[in-house]
């Protein structure tokens, strides 16, 4: 992830792509993320919730103490009110707000342990190419569903342990976009 930021600073800055999860309600910035990520990075992240993470990381200063490449640095503690409860096997509909598309790129959706920055299990969905159409997105680009895996039922038991991460990497730039949906499986 640090490598991506480094490459970005050497490359030419192309026009910006933009996208963010709208449904289910994803993590947003809050008091804790602003404290951990610092004012400079948070200002860029907050200015455009659909903007590329690289834009924020390139202004990182001594106050940058989060990992913006995990859920854009947003913290569970700021988002407890948007914790989703699902059952294993539930089909969850997603909607992406594709503000400005860029190709080529690819995307995936996985469950992650956001506190430890690890992917849990296999990706729930992957797109070898995303978006298929940047000006006129096809349905599967922006409206799709994932199924909550039974295999994570014993792991995703408490808020903050699991998040569904939507990840888009636009190769030109490069630019990284992420949204995280906090969830628990069960009761
Ligand atoms: C999702 O895509 C990114 C960018 O290619 C990759 O780094 C990551 O490993 C992928 N995640 C999964 C779970 O495949
Ligand atoms: C995207 O959709 C537009 C409008 O329907 C079409 O003209 C264009 O060829 C499509 N582009 C791709 C890459 O499919
Ligand atoms: C989930 O998405 C698949 C693939 O697009 C579709 O065939 C299926 O009908 C959807 N399921 C639900 C419950 O919406």
């Amino acid at each position: 992830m640090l490598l991506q930021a480094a490459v970005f600073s050497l490359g030419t800055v192309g026009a910006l792509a933009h996208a963010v999860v709208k449904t289910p309600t994803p993590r947003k910035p809050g008091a804790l993320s602003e404290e951990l990520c610092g004012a400079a990075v948070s200002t860029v992240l907050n200015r455009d919730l659909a903007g590329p993470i690289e834009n924020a990381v390139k202004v990182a200063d001594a106050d940058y103490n989060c990992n913006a490449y995990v859920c854009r640095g947003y913290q569970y503690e700021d988002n407890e009110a948007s914790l989703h409860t699902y059952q294993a096997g539930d089909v969850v509909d997603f909607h992406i707000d594709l503000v400005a598309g860029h190709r080529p790129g690819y995307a995936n959706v996985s469950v992650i342990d956001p506190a430890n920055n690890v992917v849990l299990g296999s990706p729930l969905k992957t797109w070898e190419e995303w978006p298929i159409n940047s000006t006129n997105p096809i349905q599967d680009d922006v409206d799709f569903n994932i199924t909550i895996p039974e295999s994570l039922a014993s792991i995703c038991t408490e808020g903050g342990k699991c998040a569904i991460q939507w990840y888009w990497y636009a190769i030109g730039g490069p630019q990284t976009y992420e949204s995280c949906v906090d969830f628990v499986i069960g009761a």
Side-chain angles (χ1 to χ4, degrees):
M1 287 308 173
L2 285 174
L3 181 63
Q4 290 178 0
V7 168
F8 179 77
S9 64
L10 297 173
T12 49
V13 180
L16 298 181
H18 288 85
V20 66
V21 168
K22 281 291 173 187
T23 309
T25 306
R27 278 192 192 186
K28 303 239 159 63
L32 182 59
S33 66
E34 287 169 14
E35 182 190 325
L36 292 174
C37 299
V41 165
S42 295
T43 298
V44 176
L45 289 172
N46 296 357
R47 193 161 61 207
D48 182 358
L49 298 184
I53 295 168
E54 284 77 1
N55 280 8
V57 169
K58 74 182 174 189
V59 302
D61 56 17
D63 295 332
Y64 174 64
N65 295 303
C66 73
N67 183 349
Y69 287 99
V70 178
C71 303
R72 294 173 63 85
Y74 305 160
Q75 302 293 312
Y76 173 66
E77 288 79 355
D78 291 326
N79 288 277
E80 291 182 19
S82 344
L83 178 64
H84 302 265
T85 300
Y86 300 126
Q87 308 303 322
D90 276 0
V91 175
V92 180
D93 287 325
F94 271 70
H95 177 68
I96 308 295
D97 184 8
L98 178 55
V99 182
H102 258 240
R103 304 175 67 229
Y106 41 93
N108 56 47
V109 174
S110 341
V111 176
I112 64 163
D113 167 353
N116 296 302
N117 188 17
V118 293
V119 174
L120 301 173
S122 329
L124 304 180
K125 199 162 163 69
T126 58
W127 292 258
E128 299 298 328
E129 207 186 316
W130 196 97
I132 297 295
N133 193 315
S134 52
T135 52
N136 182 25
I138 64 164
Q139 183 178 355
D140 191 53
D141 288 336
V142 290
D143 289 296
F144 57 86
N145 62 58
I146 58 91
T147 302
I148 300 297
E150 175 71 46
S151 57
L152 298 180
S154 61
I155 297 170
C156 303
T157 52
E158 260 177 63
K161 287 190 163 181
C162 294
I164 304 168
Q165 176 191 252
W166 174 79
Y167 183 106
W168 171 32
Y169 186 69
I171 295 160
Q175 296 166 349
T176 307
Y177 301 83
E178 291 174 3
S179 297
C180 282
V181 173
D182 285 295
F183 75 105
V184 290
I185 300 178

